[in-house]
Each structure stands twice: as structure tokens, then as C-alpha cells.
Amino acid sequence: MDCSCFRCSEPEEGSYPKPCAIVNGEPCSQCVAANALEDEIHAVEEFLSSLKAKRRPIRHRMNELHDPFSSRLPPEIVSDIFMTFLPEDVCNNYGVVESDNTATTPLRLGAVCQAWRAIAWSTPQLWTSICINLFNDNLYVAEVVRDWLSRSGQLPLYIRLYAKIIFELPFGDEPYIKLLISAVVAHSNRWVYLDMDLPKFIMMRVRCTSPMPLVLKTLKLDFPLAIFRGEERQLLPGEKLSLNAIVSPTEVVLGEFCPFQIDIGWNDLTHLNAGKVSINECFELLQKAPQMTHCTVNIYGERGDFPISQTVVQHPRLTFLDIDYEIDTGIYTFLERTSFPALKTWKHFACPSVEQELPINYIIAHIERSSCRLERMALFRCDNATIDSSELNKLLRATPSLKYLVCGHETSQGTTDPNYYDPLLKLLSASASCEQVVERETFLPHLEALDIIDHNGQQSFSWDYIPGIFGFDRDAITPFLRHESSNRRPLRFFRVGLPQNFKGPVDRDIIRLLSPLMDQGLKLEIIQDWEPRPNNLCNKYDMLQLSWLH
């Protein structure tokens, strides 16, 4: 009779148990039976492996026959089709090494089949952008990065390095960080776009192996919002960030960096976006960057690194100016001692620490001194910044060339004058009629679009004026003047920006007032969920359209 062998423990799957010899020096019946089954299983597994090997070329041929295009088109055409898989804005949508199933990454193309992989792997354009988390401690990622960049051939590279928040912070000398930095730096001669959002102790380690000129055109630097090991989110006095290379970019975007603590050349710079710049550094930048056309700065006070200019600094190429400041931090000096003859766009964001008026007279004097023809202006104020409606109209009279105007107000007190913009709208209405030619010629005769941003969700103007600014009668909705009239202001667009917490829908009386205007081909929008900067106002939720359908 067969009996169980209490000395034979349960074997692991796929392994043979140790033989026993307790029955006349021979294995027990259970061990014999188990060994026989293991032999059968091993034979079946080998047979299964051989079947899978036979199936592999069949499957490969099936993919070729069933593939809708790769087997029927030349590889060059398939490569072009694969290129449509990538995002259009390569600078803001990088290929991702570590990603979820919805990420746009060329690795997904290679996972379909061997034919797709062969074409994707031999298409360099698919591998020119990459986003890398330097805190990924998987050593295999460095190998993926090396292969990724090698597939890009000799094409220009778009690189983003960031630090994903983790519980146990590294110190920067871990092997996986060194391997990742080394894999990226090996191709530094092809960098055209470098975006680093890293803690300071990691960013300082990204250096070229030997000094050399780089073709780098765009450089973006910032520290993560999280504070790593309590370090300052800025370079300390005397510290300087260097890539150990000769760098002269055309576009520079800085977080809380002092611009002159970055080891770069300024002669070729055309676009600057700096989070914190002293008034001293503003004057120095204007003189050291003669090619600059776009400047976005947050002026935060004085710093003694450079002298403040005592004469007017003229910059002949600047066409775009976006200044964000506290009113008591040198803005008056900046406006008094600068001149921008080519200026077309002026964005003004004022956040004073104490209640003060906007420097309207200084702005007007600056425009007159520059003799510039402004086409776009955005005036945004918050909290303690005040401006009388008559002063606003005075400023607009000094800018008759304006085509696009944005006005906005954000306040933590939650109160807004319900009729603040009525004088502006009344002037626009009065000057829209052909009977008011003289007035129209002196007040915004070229205005094409008007935005009013209301952060508090409260009414700051009367809707009754809106038909009039387009040249329509409030009651009859009949045009004062014909569309083809040469005397008619070209205003065709009016938008109101509301906060995310706005409780819709829009009042039906407003819809009835605006609908005939839209029937005439004019564009009117009431947008919800806008960003707190005029340049970020985006068409997210058109409450007017939603309320119309309601």
C-alpha cells in the first residue's frame, strides 16, 4: 500500500524534490510518482517552447499581413505617419521615459510589433525630445536614456530634467543620478533646448565634461516648489551656475535666479522671462542684451550689484514688455529712465504692499518719450493698487494706436465698483458713431478687441453699454453706421473673464441683449476659470454659449 513520505517537503514549482531512501534503500512511492510527473512536465514545457518558437514567425507574418499600412507603404512614408504621433509643441511636450499608458512616447510605437519597432527605432525625429526624472533610482533608466538619445542621430535635442518629489531625498552623488546626468551630458553638443527644474545641489552637477561652445538656444532654470533639505530656492551671493561651456542662448527663462549668477552670454538674447530681478539688474540687462525683443520681469527692489542708471537708457529693439512689481520697488525709476521706441505690447501687473495709485502719469510720459505705437496693452491690478476711471481714460487717450486692450482687477477684499468701467464704455459708445468722427479719432480709433477681467465675479460695468461700443442702438439693435464705413472703429470682439467659482448661468436678460449682436457676426464671450495673468487668459468655459444652450 502506498503511503506518504513525511520526510519529503512540498517542492517549489518547477524543481525536483530531494530523493529519499527510507524503503529498503529505495525512494518511496510518492517520490517516484513525483519524479515521473516532473519528467513529464519538463517534456511538455520543452514541447510548449518549441511550439512558441514556431508561432513567433507566424505571428510576425500575420502582423505584416494585417498591418493596415506599414507593410504596404515605403518605410519613409510610415516614418512620416509616426511623426504625427508626437505632440506639435515639442518644447512643452517631451517624450517621457517613465510614463503611464496614455503618455505620448515613441516607446509605445515600438511595443506594437517588430516591423513598427524597426521603423520607429530608425526614425531619428521621434527621439529628439526627452523628459527625465533624475530621482528615478532604477539603474535601467540610464540605459534607456542612452539608447533613446543615440537613436536621435545628430539632430538637435530638447531636454527636460526634473526632480520628482520622493520621501527619501538623495544627496546628488548616488550612482543612478550620476549615470543619468552622464547619459544626457554625453550629447550636450546637440542641446538646443534645456529645461532644468531641479534642487540646487543637483543642478550644479549638470556640467559639460570640457569647455566648448554649445548650440543651446533656449535655457530654462527653476527650483522645485518643494524645499529640499531646507536649502534656499535661489543661488546665494557669490554662487554661480555654470554648464562649463560657452553658452549664448536666444531665450532664457529663470525662476528665482539672479540673471547675472548664470554663466551665459547675453549678446544673442532675444527673449527673457525672469522671476525676480532688481531694478539695478533691469538697467544692466537692457544694456547687455542689445538684441532683446521680449522682456518679462518681476521687479522686486534694489540690489547693489550694479549701479542704477542716472540717464535714460534706450533699447531700440524691445517690442514686448511684461512687468510685474510692487509699486514701491523702483517702478518709478524704471519708467523715468527707460525708452522703448519699438514697443508694441505692454503688460502691466501691479501688486502693491500698501495702498497706492498706479503710476499713470509716469506711464504716459514713458510712452511719449519713447514715441512708440502701442498695439496691445494689459493693465492688471490687485489688492491695494488703485486707479481712477478718469485716469484710465487719460492713459488710453495717450495710446490711440491700441488694437487690443485688457483691463482687470483682483482684490482679496472681494469688493468691486459696479460701475467702474462705465466711463470707458461710455466713451467707446459715444465715439463709435459716424456722427462722432472727431471724438472717435481721438479715442482708440483702431481698437479691435476688449477684455475685462473680473476676478471677484462681481459686476464692474453696465451691460447696457455693450451694444453701443459696437455702434448699435441699445433698444432697436440697429447699427448706427454701416460695416463698410471707413469711419467705423474695427472693434469686433468683447470678452469678460470670470473666476472659477462663478455661479452660472448668465442672466437671461444679458443673453437677450447680446444675442442680436452675435447674429451680426460680432464675437462676444463670457469666460470662466481664467488664470490670474492677462497673458494667460484662455478660452476654457464660454459661459455665454453654455447659458445659451441652457
Side-chain angles (χ1 to χ4, degrees):
M1 185 176 86
D2 292 338
C3 62
S4 298
C5 176
F6 67 90
R7 296 190 180 185
C8 296
S9 59
E10 183 70 22
E12 295 182 2
E13 184 178 355
S15 65
Y16 289 89
K18 294 180 180 180
C20 66
I22 62 172
V23 181
N24 298 325
E26 298 293 334
C28 68
S29 60
Q30 297 300 313
C31 285
V32 173
N35 289 338
L37 286 175
E38 290 293 345
D39 290 338
E40 291 184 29
I41 291 173
H42 183 66
V44 171
E45 287 177 343
E46 288 186 344
F47 180 66
L48 181 60
S49 296
S50 67
L51 291 178
K52 289 181 177 180
K54 293 179 180 179
R55 182 185 64 179
R56 193 172 297 115
I58 297 175
R59 283 280 183 88
H60 178 65
R61 184 55 182 163
M62 287 173 57
N63 287 336
E64 290 182 347
L65 295 174
H66 297 168
D67 193 317
F69 63 94
S70 69
S71 62
R72 306 176 187 180
L73 297 174
E76 296 81 5
I77 302 299
V78 179
S79 292
D80 288 341
I81 295 174
F82 281 178
M83 289 298 298
T84 63
F85 177 74
L86 296 180
E88 293 183 3
D89 186 2
V90 68
C91 296
N92 295 316
N93 297 275
Y94 309 83
V96 182
V97 174
E98 50 174 355
S99 63
D100 55 29
N101 292 330
T102 62
T104 302
T105 167
L107 294 175
R108 293 184 64 194
L109 295 173
V112 174
C113 66
Q114 290 183 1
W116 282 39
R117 186 180 306 115
I119 296 175
W121 265 225
S122 60
T123 304
Q125 294 88 343
L126 292 173
W127 309 95
T128 57
S129 66
I130 189 170
C131 178
I132 307 169
N133 173 23
L134 290 187
F135 283 4
N136 190 324
D137 58 358
N138 187 340
L139 295 177
Y140 174 70
V141 173
E143 182 179 350
V144 174
V145 171
R146 283 193 295 269
D147 292 342
W148 184 304
L149 296 178
S150 65
R151 295 185 195 114
S152 63
Q154 294 301 314
L155 294 179
L157 293 177
Y158 299 78
I159 308 291
R160 181 173 190 266
L161 307 177
Y162 73 101
K164 189 174 182 179
I165 306 302
I166 58 177
F167 294 106
E168 187 174 346
L169 298 178
F171 288 91
D173 55 357
E174 286 78 2
Y176 63 88
I177 292 181
K178 290 182 177 180
L179 288 173
L180 287 170
I181 292 178
S182 176
V184 173
V185 169
H187 299 270
S188 58
N189 63 312
R190 295 191 288 125
W191 292 348
V192 295
Y193 187 102
L194 179 62
D195 181 356
M196 294 195 291
D197 189 6
L198 300 169
K200 182 172 64 177
F201 68 96
I202 299 292
M203 192 180 295
M204 300 288 256
R205 297 176 182 271
V206 181
R207 294 171 57 85
C208 299
T209 53
S210 61
M212 58 180 177
L214 299 186
V215 295
L216 189 66
K217 297 302 181 184
T218 299
L219 178 64
K220 294 186 176 183
L221 303 174
D222 201 1
F223 294 129
L225 291 177
I227 303 298
F228 287 87
R229 303 189 187 284
E231 70 171 14
E232 294 287 337
R233 293 188 64 242
Q234 58 186 357
L235 295 176
L236 300 177
E239 288 186 320
K240 199 158 190 175
L241 179 65
S242 173
L243 295 174
N244 191 33
I246 302 173
V247 182
S248 187
T250 58
E251 179 182 10
V252 173
V253 180
L254 304 176
E256 299 188 14
F257 283 88
C258 165
F260 297 105
Q261 287 183 289
I262 314 299
D263 186 16
I264 60 174
W266 297 96
N267 284 336
D268 298 328
L269 182 75
T270 59
H271 290 67
L272 173 68
N273 188 324
K276 278 193 174 182
V277 181
S278 69
I279 185 66
N280 315 59
E281 293 160 352
C282 283
F283 286 109
E284 191 72 12
L285 282 167
L286 291 174
Q287 297 177 73
K288 286 194 172 182
Q291 306 299 322
M292 184 166 58
T293 60
H294 290 65
C295 180
T296 299
V297 292
N298 183 339
I299 302 176
Y300 72 95
E302 294 187 14
R303 185 158 54 189
D305 297 348
F306 303 100
I308 295 179
S309 176
Q310 299 303 312
T311 59
V312 174
V313 176
Q314 185 180 88
H315 197 293
R317 292 181 178 271
L318 194 68
T319 62
F320 178 99
L321 177 65
D322 183 353
I323 49 177
D324 187 341
Y325 64 92
E326 295 181 1
I327 287 184
D328 53 353
T329 56
I331 185 61
Y332 296 105
T333 303
F334 179 82
L335 294 175
E336 277 185 322
R337 301 177 188 173
T338 55
S339 174
F340 309 127
L343 196 64
K344 298 295 183 182
T345 300
W346 187 331
K347 296 187 177 183
H348 205 85
F349 192 97
C351 292
S353 55
V354 295
E355 183 172 337
Q356 294 187 25
E357 292 184 356
L358 284 176
I360 295 300
N361 290 330
Y362 286 82
I363 297 175
I364 294 175
H366 187 284
I367 294 172
E368 292 176 348
R369 182 188 318 117
S370 300
S371 299
C372 59
R373 291 183 58 82
L374 282 179
E375 295 181 356
R376 301 170 67 91
M377 174 175 281
L379 297 173
F380 198 85
R381 57 196 174 90
C382 61
D383 290 332
N384 297 310
T386 60
I387 176 174
D388 185 81
S389 57
S390 61
E391 289 293 299
L392 173 62
N393 292 342
K394 178 182 176 182
L395 171 61
L396 297 178
R397 287 183 183 277
T399 56
S401 56
L402 278 185
K403 295 181 179 180
Y404 179 42
L405 174 64
V406 179
C407 297
H409 183 206
E410 173 187 2
T411 174
S412 57
Q413 285 76 27
T415 57
T416 303
D417 181 357
N419 304 113
Y420 177 79
Y421 291 108
D422 282 358
L424 168 62
L425 299 179
K426 186 176 180 180
L427 267 177
L428 289 173
S429 298
S431 57
S433 171
C434 59
E435 285 82 6
Q436 304 289 338
V437 172
V438 176
E439 175 67 22
R440 191 192 69 79
E441 289 180 342
T442 58
F443 190 75
L444 303 181
H446 305 289
L447 190 66
E448 298 176 6
L450 174 63
D451 275 343
I452 293 180
I453 302 173
D454 185 1
H455 178 74
N456 301 306
Q458 299 178 354
Q459 182 174 324
S460 55
F461 63 90
S462 172
W463 287 96
D464 290 341
Y465 285 109
I466 302 306
I469 68 175
F470 293 103
F472 286 81
D473 183 83
R474 162 67 179 85
D475 299 316
I477 309 294
T478 56
F480 286 143
L481 41 119
R482 299 177 62 84
H483 288 281
E484 61 271 15
S485 172
S486 60
N487 291 325
R488 185 180 185 277
R489 179 188 290 115
L491 183 63
R492 303 287 295 173
F493 177 76
F494 176 71
R495 174 169 55 186
V496 177
L498 299 175
Q500 187 175 10
N501 60 0
F502 172 74
K503 304 297 183 182
V506 178
D507 187 89
R508 289 189 177 275
D509 289 338
I510 297 176
I511 295 177
R512 282 193 289 268
L513 177 68
L514 302 182
S515 294
L517 302 178
M518 299 174 70
D519 293 339
Q520 294 289 328
L522 302 175
K523 189 172 183 180
L524 295 93
E525 295 178 352
I526 301 177
I527 305 301
Q528 185 188 20
D529 191 16
W530 55 277
E531 300 294 336
R533 290 297 300 268
N535 52 312
N536 290 335
L537 182 63
C538 50
N539 197 357
K540 291 188 177 180
Y541 302 104
D542 189 346
M543 297 302 297
L544 188 59
Q545 291 288 346
L546 294 177
S547 300
W548 176 266
L549 299 174
H550 182 66

